[in-house]
Amino acid sequence: MTQTLRKDDRAALLHFLTAQRTAALAVLEGLSEADAGRSIVPSGWTPLSMTVHLGDVERHWFAFVLGGDAAHTPAEPIDPRTLAAAVHAYRAEIRRSDRLLSAFELDDPVMVTPDELPGEIHTVRDVLLHVIEEVARHAGHLDIARE
């Protein structure tokens, strides 16, 4: 029974991670370069910069915290100055993250204890929950920018 619950937990977490990534990418579909570079918020972020940030989120939490890549090496050597390039880079980070995740169990400890969220991130499950929350938040930001 416990093994079944762990498989169900893993499937549920990966489902919601995929759903949030898909939602963020869907908002960007058909967006012009001009609109992708336009800010409507006081902080100055743009859909382009948010897309770059989403790639950074994947790289930091999966490649660094789970994989130990202290250099934060991009999954592909892409300069994301356009929306198309940023989306391509984000998708490359997602593919790498998924490969890394496939090698871990939910209760496995992280390789690197992150400075962010002190005392909260100890396992792969914690990382997944955090990334789901962060991608969901930023997908909402992108929704507002798209409107």
Side-chain angles (χ1 to χ4, degrees):
M1 174 92 170
T2 303
Q3 187 71 345
T4 301
L5 286 176
R6 287 185 185 175
K7 285 182 182 178
D8 289 347
D9 283 353
R10 181 181 187 86
L13 289 170
L14 293 176
H15 167 78
F16 283 105
L17 177 62
T18 298
Q20 295 309 317
R21 289 165 166 169
T22 301
L25 287 165
V27 174
L28 301 167
E29 287 181 21
L31 194 64
S32 71
E33 287 296 334
D35 286 339
R38 185 172 54 95
S39 176
I40 62 165
V41 293
S43 65
W45 71 262
T46 66
L48 173 60
S49 65
M50 186 60 66
T51 306
V52 171
H53 175 68
L54 286 168
D56 293 344
V57 167
E58 296 277 339
R59 186 177 316 110
H60 177 74
W61 289 101
F62 295 121
F64 173 57
V65 173
L66 294 186
D69 179 15
H72 286 76
T73 308
E76 291 186 14
I78 299 166
D79 185 3
R81 293 184 193 205
T82 66
L83 182 59
V87 167
H88 182 84
Y90 179 37
R91 288 181 187 277
E93 294 298 339
I94 289 170
R95 287 190 300 274
R96 176 173 58 182
S97 297
D98 289 347
R99 281 192 307 274
L100 283 165
L101 281 167
S102 71
F104 290 96
E105 297 297 325
L106 292 179
D107 294 327
D108 286 348
V110 296
M111 183 166 292
V112 176
T113 302
D115 292 334
E116 304 86 355
L117 306 170
E120 293 183 33
I121 306 293
H122 305 285
T123 65
V124 172
R125 179 189 316 273
D126 299 334
V127 171
L128 273 169
L129 287 167
H130 174 71
V131 173
I132 291 167
E133 181 272 332
E134 187 161 353
V135 174
R137 180 177 347 116
H138 294 323
H141 294 148
L142 288 168
D143 280 336
I144 290 170
R146 181 70 187 243
E147 288 182 14

